[in-house]
Amino acid sequence: MKPTCITSWTISCGADAERSYRESIFSIGNGYMGTRGFRPDERGQHAAWRSTFLAGFYEYIRTGITDLVNQPDFSAMVLRLNGEDTGCMRVVDFAQSLDMRNGLLEWQFALESSDGLKTQIKMEKFISMASRHVAALRLSVIPDNWSGSLHLETGIDASVQNLPIADNQLQGNSEFVQMWDVPEIYPIDGGALLTAKTLPSRRSVSMAYALNADESIELIEEDFSVSSVLVTTLECGMCWQVEKVVAVASYRDGDSEAIARSELECIRYESFDQLLGRSEKAWSKLWETSDVVLEGNETWQGAARYNIFQLLQAVPKDDPHASIGARGLTHGRYKGCYFWDAEIFMLPMFTMTQPKMARDLLLYRYNTLPDALESAKSFSAKGARYSWMASDTGFEQCETWDTGCCEIHITADVAFAFGEYAASTGDDHFLSRYGAEVYIQTARYWVDRFNYSAKEDRYHILFVKGPDEYCGVTSNDFYTVSMAQQNLHLAIDAVSEMKQHWPDEWEDLSSRIAFNDDEIDVWQDIANKSVLLFDEERNLWIQDETFEYMEPLDIEKEKDGDKPLYFKIAYDRLQRYQVLKQPAVLMYMALRPDDFSKDEIEAAWDYYEPKTLHDSTLSFGIHALVASRLGKISDAIRYLEKSLFLDLFDVMENTAHEGVHMASLGATWQALIFGFGGLSHNGKHFSVVNRLPEQLYTMRYRFFFKGEQYEAEIRQGTDPVVRMIV
Ligand code: BGC
């Protein structure tokens, strides 16, 4: 458990919290850029740890494989007080805190020099939610018991590197990749502009900065960095301050240099407080619709907001060519790739509270449909095959054979997410413009991916890995088959809706994709005759063909707290025990609860939950959701707390070295709103029931349904009150 203090709107830590853990949980961003919470003047970690990322900015590290590029560091700072480097001074009374109302990150501490000089320091930093290209920093220094010189160097440092991490969670890496060529540097009023280009493909980033200071500034250019040097004399007890404004643009925006220059021009004379004020306004607009108010437990309240905060600052805004990676912009783990995490775990919060953002996330998938079509061909399949791991390219980024080739449910997950978005928003054009094409092309993939057995007149999915990645490579995985069936139904329904409501668009689409009416019969046949394993006697849906042949494992004996068991038992061996890494049958039941009787879900819970290791952070929130729907209150609370505090308390001991777990944040939101908050819908109507646990006396949240906004208020012992916001 980490020594983190959580209030309803703030998160803070002292020096007793490990540095890399703080750097992860204090990651800040605005969906366009994100940076880890490292102290600007602190050195000592390698250049791949001082990470700043831009959404969608990837580069090739070998043929066909990309990595999310670690961007130049715009907060780098060297500070000397009376000639001594602050990085070497003793730090006392250290506190790092984050204000979730405006995204302001703050470090406050005192420094003691070798000869007893004491100085109070405050560093503040935020990435603007009002203007995607903008970040700002402020340094305040008060000498407690001395007067003397201050020397500050700060600018842009492109001497950063990438440390691509293998997909295999056990494999560390020590091979740094130099992404940046020697940058170009131009002095500008009060600062400088640096443009760097990646070595392989010449993808550019430009960062322009200016200091708002009274002192004169000298510019130092080095091979990979530029900094402004400012020297002044401090007086004992007097506060000295300097502010730095930064504008960032990349090749993804167009002419990065021109954009960075003009963005800086716009903010050059604005103060830190003015810029922060504008960012706070933008944040409050986001909070107005996405906040979840939990009265009765302040720690839960703050943690719930933290989960939402991290999602809101990870989602690209008005950018339909990027999505949210497994660690957002907080770490380069998984090469920054996009998984089903985005569509199945994170998307519901956006669909229900920020539908435009949800739409853009889905458009990323629509825009990579050509790659998915191409990708299917490379697997000798028809239609569109979405990749288990994707980046700015939709081509497969997963380099582990069994996962990359066999965890194919992602294709149906994408289609499912399109369907859920369309059903709850009532966004009419979505189907005709994007949805129908995605449903049909993905359905065509399933036609090819099922194997028909003429002997049985049944369709099987062979060589498949389900969401429980400890299932090995198996057959007829329940989750994958069920999701593929959904995908086929979405395609069937789309064709009839298109014919009925969008005849002109249908004519265009059907001829563009050479649609043939006979395809519908094939889809229907597969949906009807694909194999799902059910044991009548136990009223139990079986995960896959091999699950029941596995050896049992004494989980209690083997598992050490919440740390994943793959650290102790080889992945290969785990795949032959009858244990689950994360929910699979229950995962599908979490998504489609109305397709099952309560008894079926109970039976699945009783069978699978005790066998689940929760070795993926995606597991806890989904168990909390299912348990709360089943009325298993103590299980629901136990799982919710794991998910709610997953990163804040580093439950799985991997937040420090892997960043913030985006899917878990989304699962937490689903557990809160669809579970305890009782919200559900069937595509036509929504309903809200009261499942409030005794830890809370009120819960309030807003959501959109069919274009209207509502607020639900749930109090102990009364029926929920839902009102429309006009
Ligand atoms: C999980 C996957 C998940 C991936 C990225 C893996 O450990 O098993 O379900 O998509 O992490 O978060």
Side-chain angles (χ1 to χ4, degrees), residues 169 326-327 334 339-341 388 469 581-582 616 618:
Q169 288 174 293
R327 301 293 179 266
Y334 291 124
F339 292 73
W340 70 320
D341 302 31
W388 176 241
E469 293 181 343
K581 184 180 182 195
Q582 63 203 84
S616 159
L618 280 61

Side-chain angles (χ1 to χ4, degrees), residues 401-539:
W401 173 81
D402 56 346
T403 312
C405 292
C406 305
E407 201 155 354
I408 51 176
H409 60 82
I410 175 71
T411 292
D413 297 332
V414 169
F416 180 84
F418 272 65
E420 288 296 286
Y421 166 84
S424 72
T425 58
D427 180 346
D428 283 347
H429 295 287
F430 196 72
L431 175 81
S432 63
R433 289 198 192 140
Y434 315 108
E437 190 174 352
V438 167
Y439 302 145
I440 294 171
Q441 295 292 21
T442 48
R444 286 172 168 175
Y445 169 71
W446 292 115
V447 171
D448 230 59
R449 193 55 178 77
F450 275 94
N451 279 69
Y452 180 64
S453 155
K455 196 170 107 203
E456 301 161 283
D457 189 23
R458 302 294 302 266
Y459 295 88
H460 298 264
I461 283 199
L462 310 177
F463 299 105
V464 64
K465 195 183 241 331
D468 161 26
E469 293 181 343
Y470 292 166
C471 67
V473 172
T474 184
S475 302
N476 295 330
D477 168 66
F478 177 84
Y479 179 89
T480 309
V481 174
S482 306
M483 289 297 275
Q485 289 175 341
Q486 289 299 325
N487 195 157
L488 295 164
H489 285 304
L490 282 165
I492 296 166
D493 294 348
V495 173
S496 78
E497 278 216 26
M498 289 294 289
K499 284 183 179 170
Q500 203 182 334
H501 302 296
W502 311 94
D504 295 344
E505 287 84 349
W506 176 240
E507 211 179 300
D508 286 352
L509 177 64
S510 55
S511 74
R512 182 157 58 80
I513 63 176
F515 176 79
N516 177 335
D517 267 327
D518 296 344
E519 293 188 63
I520 297 182
D521 299 335
V522 179
W523 297 340
Q524 193 65 64
D525 203 45
I526 299 175
N528 291 343
K529 297 181 192 160
S530 40
V531 176
L532 288 171
L533 306 171
F534 183 68
D535 179 344
E536 304 263 354
E537 220 164 275
R538 290 178 287 171
N539 196 24

